[in-house]
Amino acid sequence: MAFEGVAAGAQLVRRGEVSARELVELSLARIKRLDGELNAFTAVFAERALADADRADERRARGDRAPLLGVPIAVKDEIDIAGEVTSRGTGAVMARAPADAEVVARLREAGAIVIGKTTMPELGLWPFTESLTWGVTRNPWDVERTAGGSSGGSAAAVAAGLVPMAIGADGAGSIRIPAACCGLFGLKPQSGRVPRAPHDRDGSHWICFGPLTRSVVDTALVLDAILAPSAATDAPGAFERAARARPRRLRVAVSDAFPAGTRGTLSDDVGRALRDTAGLLRSLGHEVVERDIDFRLLDVPILLGLMFHAIRDFVGEIERPQRLERRTRALARPGALVPHATVPRLLEAERRMRERLGRLFTECDVLLTPVMSRPAVPAGSMEGRGATVTYLWETSWVPFNVLWNSTGQPAASVPAGWSATGLPLAVQLVARHDDETSLLTLAAQLERERPWADRRPPVS
């Protein structure tokens, strides 16, 4: 039951074969039993979740067929839940949120039950989930490995069957990286697709909220529910229909280097996963061609300027900045070199870069790349290291993701087998603007050909 997933769980509740209370009790019991080892949650709302489950069962008894009715979920701790501290991975935040974030309100309206909040690194700045405030979040496939970041708690919770779905946030790969580390499907939607209010006050077009699930269909179902929460019906929405459809013949570009000219940086396992996926797509009738991504040296200061300016702003909003980790404060310092007056010029340069990169998608439907240069690294790899060393290290491990936050295109981490030591492998699929449907359809086809959701991690 713990690994049934979103769609199956919601269907069981609708049929009356299981109650929402039973699903919530199962999640709470598994959190109590397993989270001491994983450290995926910062807070668990047991009493409120059980009360919400009883209300969901009352809704079902009245004939309510909301798409997520009775499904327990978790929410990353950078997204507001009414009355709770949105810690963003730090002990420097004290204020409690006055209301649910829009995405949480929509999930509740669709019938989902919020079990708790999940861990993240401080301010979501790193691709591993470790902080002085919340400790180390561990990977259910190997507790000596990282669950990835920054949505690492969300990924660990879903991978271990603590909840069937968790909401994450992705500003530079923070959904895709932990999904890859933990063997999940993780989608960064098109920029602006999922509402970010009230967190959209920062004006960022890089950050997207999205689900981490065990299957493509589950992610599609959640997206449909978020975008049309008042639809009290179990009829498939557009994204779910796409995930259940057979794709047309697509032209798939493959790139194993970022930037161009950096080939040879992938581990043997990751390189094999990319080649095997390209071969599988070719065998399924898709046209697969090798292409370089037209990312240029002059693009680097554009991304770095916008990124460090945003980090400085994040730190500037913190109530008690003196409580931030030393590494966080150090990473914010380069933002002082980016005056506010230069931001419009950087955004204009980013727009031109986005147009140039978009030309690839006039020739091809989908881009296939790695997510990481090697599988989940040991937890604590960067413990005690400074900001510069940590940043340079992460750029060698996860350089493949941030570009698509800048362009705003939908991108997903798709499971792609297992390493020689049993760790999950993954590939990234990137679609053209506003084309999550092609991405979901193709990812679902890969899932049907090489299923991954039936395999359980050691901590489960």
Side-chain angles (χ1 to χ4, degrees):
M1 183 71 71
F3 291 92
E4 288 288 346
V6 176
Q11 189 174 61
L12 288 171
V13 171
R14 282 195 296 270
R15 290 176 182 166
E17 295 178 23
V18 67
S19 68
R21 174 172 269 268
E22 287 172 320
L23 290 183
V24 168
E25 287 175 339
L26 176 63
S27 280
L28 292 174
R30 291 180 64 78
I31 292 169
K32 184 176 182 180
R33 179 165 65 88
L34 299 174
D35 198 46
E37 188 168 17
L38 297 175
N39 189 35
F41 283 86
T42 65
V44 177
F45 314 130
E47 290 186 11
R48 180 175 179 179
L50 289 168
D52 289 345
D54 290 339
R55 283 188 283 272
D57 286 328
E58 292 170 2
R59 288 174 63 176
R60 187 199 67 80
R62 294 194 301 268
D64 194 327
R65 299 183 68 81
L68 303 180
L69 191 61
V71 176
I73 68 166
V75 176
K76 185 181 181 183
D77 197 11
E78 70 175 88
I79 302 172
D80 283 355
I81 293 177
E84 303 297 330
V85 175
T86 307
S87 84
R88 298 170 70 185
T90 179
V93 175
M94 309 302 291
R96 295 183 180 272
D100 286 341
E102 178 67 17
V103 66
V104 174
R106 291 189 179 200
L107 287 164
R108 291 194 199 275
E109 187 177 346
I113 298 168
V114 178
I115 291 284
K117 303 195 81 171
T118 55
T119 52
M120 58 184 290
E122 192 166 76
L123 303 189
L125 297 179
W126 308 111
F128 46 83
T129 299
E130 302 170 19
S131 69
L132 292 179
T133 301
W134 298 111
V136 177
T137 298
R138 299 184 179 276
N139 194 319
W141 294 95
D142 180 350
V143 293
E144 300 307 319
R145 301 274 172 168
T146 183
S150 62
S151 305
S154 292
V158 175
L162 308 185
V163 287
M165 188 278 288
I167 289 292
D170 191 316
S174 290
I175 288 174
R176 290 159 287 164
I177 294 164
C181 286
C182 294
L184 303 176
F185 181 69
L187 173 68
K188 180 197 82 69
Q190 170 72 27
S191 178
R193 180 76 71 200
V194 176
R196 289 185 58 231
H199 306 292
D200 54 358
R201 291 190 298 259
D202 60 15
S204 173
H205 61 277
W206 284 26
I207 302 172
C208 302
F209 293 164
L212 292 106
T213 67
R214 295 180 62 81
S215 75
V216 179
V217 166
D218 281 355
T219 283
L221 175 64
V222 172
L223 279 181
D224 283 327
I226 292 171
L227 298 179
S230 61
T233 173
D234 56 348
F239 289 130
E240 185 181 354
R241 290 196 300 272
R244 297 189 185 279
R246 295 280 177 179
R248 60 184 173 84
R249 186 173 188 263
L250 299 174
R251 185 175 172 88
V252 180
V254 181
S255 178
D256 63 357
F258 179 77
T262 59
R263 287 183 174 85
T265 61
L266 304 182
S267 72
D268 291 343
D269 285 324
V270 170
R272 171 175 52 81
L274 189 69
R275 291 190 300 273
D276 288 351
T277 302
L280 176 57
L281 291 172
R282 193 175 287 111
S283 74
L284 293 170
H286 301 291
E287 183 182 359
V288 179
V289 294
E290 291 190 4
R291 288 287 186 273
D292 278 330
I293 300 168
D294 190 11
F295 182 83
R296 301 173 184 176
L297 186 61
L298 290 176
D299 296 329
V300 174
I302 300 170
L303 293 184
L304 291 181
L306 291 171
M307 182 181 70
F308 283 114
H309 183 269
I311 292 171
R312 183 186 63 176
D313 286 350
F314 290 162
V315 170
E317 296 170 359
I318 296 299
E319 297 168 60
R320 302 187 182 184
Q322 69 276 11
R323 295 191 180 184
L324 290 170
E325 297 170 17
R326 184 179 304 165
R327 181 164 55 187
T328 299
R329 296 195 300 270
L331 194 68
R333 290 186 194 116
L337 303 175
V338 186
H340 289 286
T342 67
V343 172
R345 293 199 297 273
L346 287 172
L347 290 172
E348 174 58 24
E350 183 187 46
R351 184 193 64 77
R352 294 194 298 271
M353 179 189 72
R354 181 165 58 244
E355 289 179 352
R356 173 174 21 95
L357 291 166
R359 293 173 195 145
L360 173 66
F361 294 90
T362 63
E363 303 173 5
C364 301
D365 301 295
V366 174
L367 173 67
L368 171 66
T369 78
V371 181
M372 310 178 298
S373 63
R374 56 192 183 280
V377 298
S381 293
M382 289 292 107
E383 183 178 355
R385 302 296 185 93
T388 301
V389 171
T390 305
Y391 176 75
L392 293 174
W393 168 82
E394 74 174 6
T395 58
S396 70
W397 183 38
V398 288
F400 307 99
N401 307 287
V402 65
L403 185 59
W404 314 114
N405 295 87
S406 176
T407 66
Q409 293 166 242
S413 175
V414 184
W418 312 92
S419 75
T421 57
L423 293 173
L425 300 172
V427 294
Q428 179 174 220
L429 295 179
V430 184
R432 59 171 61 93
H433 281 274
D434 294 309
D435 192 19
E436 286 97 336
T437 53
S438 289
L439 192 157
L440 290 165
T441 303
L442 188 60
Q445 185 182 38
L446 288 171
E447 183 180 11
R448 286 190 294 270
E449 293 296 322
R450 56 178 188 204
W452 60 72
D454 58 346
R455 187 160 171 172
R456 306 285 184 265
V459 180
S460 63

